[in-house]
Amino acid sequence: MGTTQYHTFHIPVMGLGYTIDTPVKVARFGISSVVSIIEDHLIEQMREFYCNKEQEEYIKIDICEDNHRAARITAYLNLLQKIINKQIVKIKAEPFKPGNEIVKYFEMLPDNTLVKVLFNKMMDSEGPEKELLQQELRNKIIAGSVDVNIMTKPDNLNVSATGEKLPQEYSNALAALRGFALSNLSASIIFSAGLNARLYSYCEQFPDFYPDENERIVKKIVLKVSDYRSAMIQGKFFAKKGIWISEFRIESGLNCGGHAFATNGLLAGPILEEFKSNREQLACELFKMCNDALKVKGKTVFTKQPKLKITYQGGIGTSKENEFLTKYYNLDGTGWGSPFLLVPEATNVDEGTLKLLAVANKDDYYLSSASPIGISFNNFRRSSAELQRHTRIENGKPGSPCIKKFLACDTEFTEFPICTASRRYQELKIAQIIDQKNTEISVADITAKDCLCEGLGASALLKNNIKSNGSSTAVTICPGPNLAFFSGSYSLQQMINHIYGRTNLLNTVPRPHLFINELLLYIDFLKKEYIKTKNKLTVQKEEYFKMFKANLCAGMEYYVKLFAQMKLDTNELAEQIKQMAEAKSELNFI
């Protein structure tokens, strides 16, 4: 995030296209959001769209250039920053009249911030005092941060326009990193999906990741992690290179959107508790390692320990939960993702998909095997991409044309990697299992894979009436299961009022506490994993299930003690204990 932030939440990355231009929509209100920079074709289309919209010169960056990927990303991020700068100038010049964006800016802020108190005072003032307060408020307007995300797993090496293998700095992830590093942004890059040593080491090439002569870090590193151990390992990897981690962004393993990286039964509450207990120790250790490395490299050394932020995202649904998380675990903020899919002002959800989401029920959201990289993927049963996938299977042509190849990583049948969601791979794999009479893999397992490169960007094109350069406009959408408790379409102000407890947007579906909801998701996940392997159970797999179950049991014991400390009313406490007992009973059947 930027230097000073008034809002206590951010909008995480969603898909390839759902938040690709969210900063243009929300940054002028002081809200930080995250752009995916892995799909440069979509980025180039969005750059052309916004250049035309903002009357900026558009010069195409052609795919035949070896460095096209990084160049497209740099150009797009610079354009976003330029647009937002103009928006901020415009807002600051507006009169404080109801309905104007300058009033909306301050109305949406948390009620307990000093600047919101100042705004309320101004509204009650008259004459010269009012004018002085208005000028002071104008000076306090700051934009939200334009942060970016790289999923570290999809990092294929690429070839030139003439078919020659390119050096590793032109790989998908490294080129994306370079695109951000060379941009004008002063922002954060979020690395998700685990440690990529090649990518992380590449950060050393760019001075903006190191402190400048004023000890300011222009480009900050944020690590999205699932547990404390992961944070410690990845944090030390960077610290040994003299690069400071500005934030650990903890994400629920299963109660989130997009790819779901299930932990070994480790639940959000105990994970947050471990961060809370060890935060200072971790920061001190990383600080010493980082400064030692900076000295060796002859770079500016920190004279005092920089701030290390800890935030959480995944499944938060009420202001009460949000407040509890931040206060009890001493968090620096939270992430609210999936609910913003129902906010047309903030995200790119096409009209058809939005209507389906607005009336969806709990069973419409499910954990699928759609991702070609073999990681569980939160999916929406009623999406047009799911309809297309089933239609192709019924027509005897499963799989997708593979045009963009970002997830092409399988070499079982070919010298060059192909995608497991591609038609070519699925035809070859189905023929193989039929020929070998392989009963361990079903045809349904193979055809479950779907094209995410096209599907996760299609909605942005549809909503903005941009012509697709691909073969399909079928929409893949990946909300977290928490979206089942929201129904309808909301304004940006309504959603922010919900986050801060000024209104309630939840539907009437009974909603457990976010910790219990995640626990139930984990029990269901364990149950399905056990059923899949119980007839071919190895010693190693059996040990995994025992550890998973033991971690869940330990987590439940933690929650029983935690709920007793939370000062819940009698009925609420009784309900939490009842739900916990039901969950434990279900777990004991496994």
Side-chain angles (χ1 to χ4, degrees), residues 223-296:
L223 295 178
K224 191 186 289 185
V225 295
S226 56
D227 56 40
Y228 181 78
R229 180 176 176 273
S230 174
M232 183 170 59
I233 292 170
Q234 294 186 71
K236 287 182 177 180
F237 189 97
F238 277 104
K240 288 175 182 176
K241 299 177 182 299
I243 297 175
W244 179 253
I245 299 301
S246 296
E247 179 184 338
F248 287 112
R249 193 162 285 188
I250 306 159
E251 184 173 63
S252 169
L254 293 179
N255 202 6
C256 60
H259 284 90
F261 297 86
T263 63
N264 295 330
L266 296 171
L267 299 173
I271 290 169
L272 288 167
E273 188 70 50
E274 189 171 10
F275 272 93
K276 178 182 176 181
S277 301
N278 297 295
R279 179 175 183 164
E280 290 306 315
Q281 179 185 336
L282 175 64
C284 289
E285 191 172 353
L286 294 181
F287 177 57
K288 184 180 184 309
M289 292 174 70
C290 187
N291 256 1
D292 288 346
L294 288 169
K295 286 176 188 175
V296 171

Side-chain angles (χ1 to χ4, degrees), residues 131-363:
E131 290 179 9
L132 285 171
L133 289 172
Q134 286 182 349
Q135 188 53 47
E136 187 176 352
L137 288 167
R138 291 183 204 281
N139 294 335
K140 291 185 179 297
I141 290 175
I142 52 171
S145 185
V146 185
D147 297 327
V148 304
N149 182 85
I150 293 180
M151 189 176 178
T152 60
K153 298 291 183 187
D155 189 20
N156 296 343
L157 295 173
N158 289 306
V159 296
S160 68
T162 56
E164 298 160 339
K165 284 188 177 180
L166 291 169
Q168 68 174 21
E169 59 262 33
Y170 295 100
S171 74
N172 288 345
L174 269 66
L177 172 64
R178 184 166 65 257
F180 167 71
L182 297 179
S183 74
N184 297 331
L185 294 181
S186 175
S188 299
I189 186 165
I190 295 95
F191 291 123
S192 62
L195 194 155
N196 178 336
R198 182 173 69 185
L199 175 65
Y200 288 5
S201 297
Y202 192 48
C203 292
E204 293 181 88
Q205 304 296 317
F206 304 100
D208 278 359
F209 290 115
Y210 294 101
D212 62 17
E213 62 276 9
N214 298 314
E215 299 181 36
R216 175 175 173 262
I217 304 172
V218 176
K219 302 283 195 307
K220 296 180 180 179
I221 303 283
V222 173
L223 295 178
K224 191 186 289 185
V225 295
S226 56
D227 56 40
Y228 181 78
R229 180 176 176 273
S230 174
M232 183 170 59
I233 292 170
Q234 294 186 71
K236 287 182 177 180
F237 189 97
F238 277 104
K240 288 175 182 176
K241 299 177 182 299
I243 297 175
W244 179 253
I245 299 301
S246 296
E247 179 184 338
F248 287 112
R249 193 162 285 188
I250 306 159
E251 184 173 63
S252 169
L254 293 179
N255 202 6
C256 60
H259 284 90
F261 297 86
T263 63
N264 295 330
L266 296 171
L267 299 173
I271 290 169
L272 288 167
E273 188 70 50
E274 189 171 10
F275 272 93
K276 178 182 176 181
S277 301
N278 297 295
R279 179 175 183 164
E280 290 306 315
Q281 179 185 336
L282 175 64
C284 289
E285 191 172 353
L286 294 181
F287 177 57
K288 184 180 184 309
M289 292 174 70
C290 187
N291 256 1
D292 288 346
L294 288 169
K295 286 176 188 175
V296 171
K297 289 186 172 186
K299 294 185 177 294
T300 300
V301 176
F302 293 110
T303 54
K304 64 177 182 179
Q305 185 175 298
K307 185 172 178 60
L308 174 63
K309 290 184 178 181
I310 307 290
T311 62
Y312 171 81
Q313 60 194 44
I316 308 170
T318 68
S319 62
K320 191 174 182 180
E321 289 176 347
N322 196 73
E323 185 179 9
F324 169 75
L325 287 170
T326 52
K327 288 186 176 178
Y328 184 81
Y329 294 109
N330 301 323
L331 298 180
D332 297 291
T334 55
W336 284 67
S338 296
F340 277 98
L341 292 172
L342 299 175
V343 181
E345 289 175 70
T347 53
N348 282 314
V349 181
D350 60 284
E351 187 177 350
T353 304
L354 182 60
K355 286 179 179 177
L356 293 172
L357 290 175
V359 297
N361 59 52
K362 200 170 182 179
D363 292 335

Side-chain angles (χ1 to χ4, degrees), residues 365-585:
Y365 305 100
Y366 75 110
L367 201 58
S368 74
S369 301
S371 175
I373 59 177
I375 297 167
S376 297
F377 182 77
N378 281 288
N379 216 333
F380 182 55
R381 294 187 196 278
R382 300 171 67 183
S383 71
S384 54
E386 274 295 275
L387 177 63
Q388 176 182 261
R389 185 177 68 85
H390 286 291
T391 300
R392 285 172 171 170
I393 294 168
E394 290 165 7
N395 292 337
K397 293 183 177 180
S400 307
C402 189
I403 297 170
K404 297 179 178 176
K405 306 185 188 307
F406 290 115
L407 301 180
C409 53
D410 190 279
T411 55
E412 182 180 0
F413 301 107
T414 56
E415 180 184 354
F416 290 100
I418 59 175
C419 181
T420 57
S422 69
R423 183 163 298 156
R424 186 181 182 195
Y425 173 85
Q426 293 191 8
E427 287 175 347
L428 290 168
K429 192 65 180 177
I430 290 169
Q432 181 195 65
I433 66 168
I434 292 173
D435 182 57
Q436 296 178 356
K437 297 178 181 177
N438 186 343
T439 58
E440 291 188 8
I441 305 173
S442 70
V443 171
D445 291 333
I446 298 165
T447 59
K449 307 298 180 191
D450 203 9
C451 178
L452 303 187
C453 298
E454 296 281 357
L456 288 175
S459 192
L461 301 179
L462 288 170
K463 183 172 180 179
N464 294 296
N465 295 313
I466 300 172
K467 185 179 179 181
S468 172
N469 293 331
S471 61
S472 170
T473 54
V475 174
T476 300
I477 194 163
C478 48
N482 190 47
L483 199 59
F485 305 108
F486 294 85
S487 299
S489 177
Y490 310 108
S491 70
L492 179 64
Q493 196 153 4
Q494 282 178 311
M495 186 56 69
I496 291 175
N497 285 342
H498 174 82
I499 291 171
Y500 294 138
R502 299 188 286 245
T503 191
N504 178 25
L505 299 182
L506 291 180
N507 58 26
T508 57
V509 177
R511 183 183 180 279
H513 185 275
L514 83 96
F515 283 162
I516 293 178
N517 204 33
E518 187 200 48
L519 169 64
L520 297 174
L521 291 168
Y522 266 96
I523 291 173
D524 186 56
F525 177 85
L526 177 60
K527 193 188 302 180
K528 288 175 180 175
E529 286 295 301
Y530 178 69
I531 290 170
K532 278 196 295 187
T533 59
K534 69 177 181 179
N535 293 327
K536 46 185 177 182
L537 199 61
T538 63
V539 173
Q540 185 180 16
K541 201 67 177 176
E542 188 175 358
E543 289 302 315
Y544 165 76
F545 286 133
K546 285 180 180 177
M547 175 183 62
F548 200 112
K549 186 174 179 179
N551 285 336
L552 289 181
C553 289
M556 284 190 280
E557 289 178 15
Y558 169 84
Y559 285 146
V560 169
K561 295 175 184 176
L562 178 69
F563 290 145
Q565 299 173 36
M566 285 173 61
K567 298 179 181 178
L568 304 170
D569 62 52
T570 306
N571 292 336
E572 199 174 359
L573 180 60
E575 181 61 26
Q576 306 285 29
I577 292 172
K578 177 189 171 187
Q579 290 174 345
M580 198 67 67
E582 290 171 352
K584 191 168 186 178
S585 177

